Amino acid sequence: MTGLVVKNTGFWYLVLPEGQSLSNSLLQLDATQQPAEGGLVPCKVKGNFRLKGIRTTNPVAVGDWVNYEMNKEGFAFINRIQERRNYIIRRSINLSKQAHILATNLDLALLVVTASHPQTSTTFIDRFLATAEAYRVPAILVINKMDLYTDEDLEYADYLTCLYRNIGYPVFRISAKTGSGIDELRQELVGKTSLLSGNSGVGKSTILNLLIPNANTRTAEISDVHDQGMHTTTFSEMYVMPSSVEPSSPDLPPAYIIDTPGIKGFGTIEFEKETVSHYFREIFSISDDCRFGNCTHTHEPGCAVLRAVEEHRIAQSRYDSYLSILQDEDEGKYRE
Ligand SMILES: Nc1nc2c(ncn2[C@@H]2O[C@H](COP(=O)(O)OP(=O)(O)O)[C@@H](O)[C@H]2O)c(=O)[nH]1
Ligand SMILES: [Mg+2]
Ligand SMILES: [Zn+2]
């Protein structure tokens, strides 16, 4: 039998049988609460699944299409993962050689950022975008809390908007509080499987609750002292977004949104020094004009990238992020 992995709770994977449609109410039940008829199938994993030599804490991830079989004890086990179009992993904290697969088979990686409360740094954004490029997942930025901003915050929001639109990334400006910009964002997500990411406190749960009535994700109050949200859950969770607020037409493909509560960032796990520049689109395209083919764009004579940074054709903030990833490789460590 074939199905889609829609939830991962500990060693249980909940699988949606092929051809069956998903509802948020089923997603809210755990493995032991699923109805026998028409429910999600609780599965365990049997066999050794590996990802290109990388050890992962979870062999199977939300978004995977799998084959499963019932066993005698009455539960199912996954015995094959169908080939993945893509995946996004993060390095496990304190386990430098282990990685956690956040989600697979993604159409979109959506990064929610804020100009304040808390402020998202360009380094964080660029690491996210570079990771998305490396995994070949199209990325978009969503600037939230537009209702909240002072003139200074707005300046930063405008800077981010221009910078990333110029590079070619779609940028949405929304307020989950007032609802402004939400319809445009919803249109972007229709028919796709999207990963929702961003620092805690930027409004991911609030956005989900707005896009998906009854999603009931918990929102955290930002602590005044640390200006950071509280972690509430840890596993990747999938939600189904109705294609419109009205009862959706059955012909429209569903939109899946995968939330990764408590995940702050992605380790730059697979980057090699020579390829880091490939994941900065505008740096990569200008590097064609560097004198040396193996230019690292740090000190070489005739480096077109260094010249472009000087002439402000490449943003200093982007170049700094590029250098910071290179530095990680030097030190052999991966910060978040
Ligand atoms: N003013 C304002 N506050 C927001 C907005 N979106 C979320 N918040 C608040 O920001 C805090 C963190 O939101 P939450 O959704 O829990 O963030 P998450 O950690 O990314 O899931 C909560 O107090 C929300 O009410 C917004 O657009 N404007
Ligand atoms: Mg949240
Ligand atoms: Zn160069």
Side-chain angles (χ1 to χ4, degrees):
M1 284 169 283
T2 306
L4 173 68
V5 177
V6 293
K7 197 169 173 177
N8 170 11
T9 53
F11 54 86
W12 286 110
Y13 293 88
L14 292 180
V15 173
L16 176 76
E18 188 168 25
Q20 191 176 310
S21 61
L22 187 61
S23 75
N24 289 310
S25 51
L26 283 180
L27 284 163
Q28 273 159 29
L29 305 175
D30 71 24
T32 57
Q33 301 167 317
Q34 292 296 325
E37 284 294 311
L40 301 173
V41 182
C43 294
K44 289 180 182 176
V45 172
K46 190 172 179 173
N48 189 16
F49 301 104
R50 278 184 169 248
L51 197 67
K52 282 196 260 164
I54 300 167
R55 258 186 298 157
T56 57
T57 51
N58 57 335
V60 179
V62 169
D64 273 330
W65 280 94
V66 295
N67 294 6
Y68 62 96
E69 267 173 43
M70 300 304 288
N71 81 352
K72 293 187 196 79
E73 285 99 81
F75 62 85
F77 58 87
I78 292 168
N79 53 17
R80 199 172 89 85
I81 306 173
Q82 300 187 6
E83 199 182 327
R84 292 172 175 141
R85 264 190 299 133
N86 57 31
Y87 56 83
I88 282 196
I89 58 181
R90 79 183 288 266
R91 184 163 285 261
S92 299
I93 310 159
N94 298 332
L95 290 169
S96 60
K97 289 282 177 243
Q98 285 222 42
H100 182 78
I101 311 173
L102 289 176
T104 69
N105 297 320
L106 294 164
D107 298 304
L108 206 61
L110 188 157
L111 183 67
V112 182
V113 305
T114 42
S116 69
H117 301 89
Q119 184 177 97
T120 310
S121 71
T122 50
T123 320
F124 183 83
I125 296 172
D126 293 332
R127 281 169 178 267
F128 177 88
L129 293 176
T131 306
E133 294 287 342
Y135 294 131
R136 294 181 300 280
V137 181
I140 66 171
L141 291 185
V142 176
I143 305 179
N144 188 32
K145 307 199 185 182
M146 289 302 296
D147 62 283
L148 197 71
Y149 295 154
T150 63
D151 287 349
E152 203 180 313
D153 299 337
L154 266 179
E155 235 172 75
Y156 185 56
D158 290 347
Y159 171 76
L160 297 180
T161 307
C162 292
L163 173 61
Y164 293 106
R165 278 187 186 159
N166 275 333
I167 298 168
Y169 294 105
V171 179
F172 292 80
R173 295 156 63 103
I174 70 163
S175 164
K177 190 175 184 181
T178 67
S180 82
I182 284 288
D183 288 339
E184 290 84 345
L185 180 60
R186 184 194 306 276
Q187 280 314 308
E188 176 72 27
L189 304 183
V190 166
K192 297 176 182 163
T193 299
S194 306
L195 181 71
L196 184 65
S197 317
N199 280 318
S200 36
V202 296
K204 296 181 299 295
S205 300
T206 314
I207 293 168
L208 264 179
N209 284 323
L210 206 60
L211 290 173
I212 303 168
N214 310 320
N216 285 327
T217 64
R218 281 162 288 180
T219 52
E221 283 306 315
I222 293 186
S223 115
D224 290 338
V225 189
H226 301 294
D227 219 27
Q228 271 187 357
M230 306 288 285
H231 295 173
T232 43
T233 19
T234 45
F235 288 100
S236 299
E237 287 180 290
M238 188 180 254
Y239 297 89
V240 201
M241 185 184 80
S243 303
S244 69
V245 184
E246 299 88 54
S248 62
S249 137
D251 309 332
L252 278 176
Y256 299 127
I257 303 176
I258 300 169
D259 188 17
T260 54
I263 304 292
K264 280 191 186 158
F266 304 129
T268 50
I269 190 164
E270 283 184 326
F271 289 171
E272 281 170 26
K273 210 176 174 116
E274 299 71 33
T275 54
V276 174
S277 71
H278 298 198
Y279 308 132
F280 287 75
R281 287 184 193 175
E282 78 284 30
I283 294 181
F284 186 55
S285 66
I286 283 181
S287 68
D288 271 351
D289 298 331
C290 293
R291 187 179 304 162
F292 304 112
N294 60 353
C295 189
T296 64
H297 324 303
T298 53
H299 61 277
E300 292 87 346
C303 173
V305 171
L306 284 170
R307 193 176 344 118
V309 174
E310 247 164 58
E311 293 169 1
H312 307 292
R313 285 179 287 118
I314 287 176
Q316 186 69 46
S317 64
R318 289 279 289 171
Y319 183 67
D320 291 345
S321 299
Y322 166 72
L323 288 185
S324 91
I325 294 179
L326 277 191
Q327 216 159 18
D328 283 353
E329 307 301 306
D330 280 345
E331 291 163 12
K333 72 175 186 204
Y334 304 81
R335 271 168 296 155
E336 286 184 308

